Amino acid sequence: QVQLVESGGGLVQPGGFLRLSCAASGSIVSINAMGWYRQPPGKQRELVAVISSGGSTKYAESVTGRFTISRDSAKNTVYLQMNSLKPEDTANYYCSADLAYSDSADVRGIHLWGKGTLVTVSS
């Protein structure tokens, strides 16, 4: 069994800070990339940030300069540090990962999604 477990969501005031965490667990062989997506109420899911196995990062224009994605390879964990939060950042945040895992005697590649964690930015 492989899964992504997210944590860190909650209620924060505008201008505040939050750090989201996402840990991949199971018989993981390798992780190609991990990222964060978000879905505001009534809107489409959108990419927030992604980090590759080589450490390169990409960010949505709306969060550039405020959010930082990072990885802890030893823990198979990705983080999203969110600073200067705005009400428009309110959304369900989803962790994703492209990875390879062991299944019996073979290795399979999959794209995983976490269940999501709610971030609410409001006074």
Side-chain angles (χ1 to χ4, degrees):
Q1 296 293 116
V2 290
Q3 62 178 348
L4 302 177
V5 180
E6 299 153 306
S7 63
L11 175 65
V12 65
Q13 295 184 358
F17 304 81
L18 277 178
R19 188 183 72 164
L20 305 183
S21 300
C22 173
S25 62
S27 301
I28 298 170
V29 176
S30 63
I31 300 177
N32 183 54
M34 299 185 76
W36 291 93
Y37 291 73
R38 69 184 182 187
Q39 186 168 20
K43 296 184 178 181
Q44 299 278 341
R45 185 176 298 188
E46 64 180 3
L47 174 70
V48 176
V50 63
I51 184 167
S52 71
S53 60
S56 63
T57 59
K58 293 182 179 180
Y59 297 90
E61 182 180 1
S62 59
V63 307
T64 297
R66 299 186 299 120
F67 291 10
T68 302
I69 189 170
S70 61
R71 284 175 57 174
D72 184 335
S73 59
K75 298 180 178 180
N76 290 326
T77 299
V78 64
Y79 304 94
L80 184 67
Q81 180 67 47
M82 303 184 293
N83 301 325
S84 302
L85 284 163
K86 305 174 180 179
E88 51 263 43
D89 294 319
T90 296
N92 280 306
Y93 283 73
Y94 299 89
C95 179
S96 68
D98 284 307
L99 56 81
Y101 70 101
S102 61
D103 183 13
S104 297
D106 203 3
V107 176
R108 300 185 64 183
I110 58 170
H111 185 91
L112 282 179
W113 290 93
K115 65 177 178 59
T117 184
L118 179 63
V119 172
T120 302
V121 184
S122 176
S123 297

